[in-house]
Amino acid sequence: MFDSRPDRSAEVVLVGRSNVGKSTLMRELTGHTFDTGQRPGVTRQPNHYDWNAEDFVLTDLPGFGFMKGVPDEVREEIKDDIVAYLETYAEQILVAVLVVDGKAVIDIIDRHSGPDEIPHDVEMFHFLRDMGIPVVVAVNKMDKVPDRDERLDALCDRLGLLPPWKQWQETIAPITAKRGSIDPMTEAVRHHLHEQQRDDLFTFF
């Protein structure tokens, strides 16, 4: 289990598969560069970023799902640790940002949908919501997606949200973290912070 978390009562977490751009997004939000490897699964522990004067921490959790060269049992262990972390701190987590790769997410979900299998992204989305944690799905790398609205509608459909996606702008946020184009996500996060009377945290988003 991860045990490096600073003692803070308010938290926003980034979750998602390996290589979807969570660390890039973290850098955009904090201005701070974290160690990221070229290989998926390099981040095995959470990256926490906290501001000493504030009772708030931003956490980038390790990537889950398939990782090249990482044994199945290690992958399962990481996923179990992520789930345990989210369950442990659910009360303190104000918003979870589920980062997905806009170009690949539909194919990945469809490839893993079957009678005995729920795709990780869909499972995580519902798991977070079931725990009462507001979720923003940051659909990253949108600069590489030509059929934008169609792709976002399809993602809503897979997540059990009725398309069109534009009616879910507090939940679905198309971004390109590498280019610093993350406004739809920060607006969605602010919406959920406001709902919880935490406008004081807007300075971080």
Side-chain angles (χ1 to χ4, degrees):
M1 173 66 182
F2 312 132
D3 54 6
S4 56
R5 184 185 186 275
D7 185 17
R8 297 286 183 265
S9 68
E11 181 171 15
V12 169
V13 296
L14 306 183
V15 292
R17 290 177 174 278
S18 300
N19 274 15
V20 291
K22 292 193 309 303
S23 302
T24 308
L25 186 53
M26 188 80 165
R27 189 176 64 232
E28 276 301 314
L29 289 169
T30 62
H32 183 79
T33 302
F34 295 84
D35 288 338
T36 59
Q38 292 307 304
R39 293 191 326 281
V42 168
T43 314
R44 297 278 175 91
Q45 285 288 328
N47 279 317
H48 299 286
Y49 194 81
D50 66 331
W51 291 260
N52 287 334
E54 303 287 343
D55 187 18
F56 172 69
V57 60
L58 181 65
T59 300
D60 173 20
L61 288 168
F64 56 75
F66 175 75
M67 293 169 250
K68 200 173 175 186
V70 177
D72 285 355
E73 61 272 16
V74 175
R75 283 209 306 264
E76 280 306 310
E77 205 175 291
I78 292 171
K79 189 163 169 247
D80 290 347
D81 283 348
I82 293 167
V83 166
Y85 183 95
L86 294 167
E87 287 176 334
T88 304
Y89 298 111
E91 292 293 309
Q92 285 102 315
I93 298 171
L94 302 175
V95 186
V97 178
L98 174 59
V99 187
V100 299
D101 179 334
K103 199 163 167 246
V105 66
I106 304 298
D107 294 341
I108 291 170
I109 288 175
D110 289 353
R111 198 182 313 139
H112 292 281
S113 294
D116 305 320
E117 196 176 13
I118 302 170
H120 286 323
D121 301 290
V122 175
E123 186 179 32
M124 184 59 74
F125 177 74
H126 290 291
F127 169 69
L128 290 162
R129 290 181 108 193
D130 289 348
M131 282 197 301
I133 299 172
V135 189
V136 173
V137 182
V139 192
N140 195 19
K141 310 184 187 182
M142 285 305 287
D143 56 323
K144 298 192 169 106
V145 177
D147 50 346
R148 182 187 167 94
D149 287 342
E150 203 176 300
R151 189 68 60 99
L152 293 168
D153 285 350
L155 178 59
C156 281
D157 179 58
R158 305 303 190 273
L159 293 173
L161 306 172
L162 196 67
W165 76 272
K166 286 192 172 151
Q167 64 183 340
W168 299 103
Q169 291 190 43
E170 293 86 54
T171 306
I172 303 288
I175 64 166
T176 301
K178 207 170 238 179
R179 296 192 178 171
S181 169
I182 61 170
D183 287 355
M185 186 210 75
T186 52
E187 281 167 33
V189 168
R190 284 175 169 215
H191 167 85
H192 294 296
L193 292 174
H194 178 69
E195 299 261 289
Q196 296 169 82
Q197 281 133 19
R198 292 307 304 262
D199 293 18
D200 57 305
L201 298 176
F202 280 16
T203 44
F204 304 113
F205 295 96

